[in-house]
Amino acid sequence: MLEKHLLVLGASRGIGCTTANYLRSSGHTVYTAQRTPQIQALTDEGTDKGFWAALDFQDPSQAVDLVQKFVADEIKLDGILCCTSYAEPKPKYLYNLFDFQHHLTANVIGPLMLLIYLEHHGVLKFAAPVVFVLDDRRIGSEYLAYGASRKALRPMVEAAHKTFPLHSDLLFAPLPENQELGADSFTEAMLKVFTEGHAGMGRVLDTK
């Protein structure tokens, strides 16, 4: 199996951190970028292969800096896993347009903006798989997380991806219910996508 160079967005905790560790332990070079400091530490194994970068999509300059680092190091990415989420629970009646803007920026606008930069600078290989994680998490009945509606945002991601247009292969990966901290089936599905190939723009992957 050939070594792949992969980028995981939103790898500070949960499925992003779990999958990044799994891909690294499988012998691949994994670069991670996230808004918050790492809460679940990435494994020590393979830490010399790849790097960690701060990335807050509310500050576009950080995305530019990340792309410039890839260019300077002459890194070519074989795929991207997007697990970003602006998730800070609050009562539904306090949810407002400002919160919705943060939600869109973290889950749609920011990742796609980075994708455009990466393609424009030749960092992301042609037709490389770009996987967006889909879930529909809720916290109780009175609260919701700003990252909870990624499943509902799928049409926006697809529309924006076609509008530019981009040359990456857009894929969606449902997160098994109640397994947001990592599931063997999910991590294995991601490894298969990035190493064994994929088929079909907009395809929803089987991660069960």
Side-chain angles (χ1 to χ4, degrees):
M1 181 173 60
L2 295 176
E3 178 185 349
K4 301 292 183 178
H5 290 255
L6 306 167
L7 172 63
V8 178
L9 302 177
S12 62
R13 69 186 91 183
I15 196 65
C17 182
T18 300
T19 307
N21 280 333
Y22 185 78
L23 294 170
R24 274 185 176 155
S25 66
S26 298
H28 303 289
T29 298
V30 180
Y31 310 93
T32 61
Q34 58 262 357
R35 178 174 59 90
T36 55
Q38 288 167 298
I39 297 174
Q40 271 182 248
L42 293 171
T43 57
D44 292 333
E45 182 179 357
T47 51
D48 58 328
K49 299 170 61 176
F51 57 72
W52 171 89
L55 181 61
D56 186 345
F57 285 125
Q58 304 298 329
D59 181 3
S61 66
Q62 292 188 6
V64 174
D65 291 342
L66 177 60
V67 174
Q68 289 178 343
K69 181 169 180 57
F70 281 127
V71 172
D73 294 345
E74 298 183 344
I75 295 168
K76 302 293 184 182
L77 295 174
D78 296 289
I80 298 175
L81 177 62
C82 182
C83 303
T84 57
S85 175
Y86 182 76
E88 184 176 342
K90 70 187 300 185
K92 291 182 180 179
Y93 63 85
L94 292 179
Y95 193 82
N96 55 44
L97 287 176
F98 182 73
D99 300 325
F100 185 63
Q101 178 187 1
H102 278 279
H103 189 181
L104 283 178
T105 301
N107 295 301
V108 180
I109 299 172
L112 287 168
M113 175 186 68
L114 177 64
L115 190 53
I116 292 170
Y117 290 165
L118 291 169
E119 285 203 7
H120 178 73
H121 290 280
V123 175
L124 185 63
K125 293 182 180 179
F126 186 83
V130 175
V131 182
F132 277 74
V133 175
L134 299 177
D135 65 0
D136 197 16
R137 289 176 293 169
R138 292 291 184 270
I139 300 178
S141 59
E142 298 298 325
Y143 294 80
L144 58 84
Y146 297 156
S149 303
R150 284 183 288 186
K151 185 182 296 183
L153 292 177
R154 177 185 168 189
M156 296 185 187
V157 174
E158 290 181 304
H161 191 275
K162 293 176 182 177
T163 299
F164 286 106
L166 297 169
H167 300 297
S168 51
D169 192 359
L170 182 65
L171 302 165
F172 296 95
L175 189 60
E177 188 176 358
N178 298 324
Q179 296 185 18
E180 62 270 10
L181 293 182
D184 290 342
S185 59
F186 183 91
T187 53
E188 290 171 3
M190 293 305 97
L191 179 63
K192 185 174 182 179
V193 166
F194 292 125
T195 60
E196 298 182 16
H198 45 90
M201 180 71 71
R203 173 185 168 199
V204 177
L205 301 167
D206 181 6
T207 56
K208 295 182 179 180

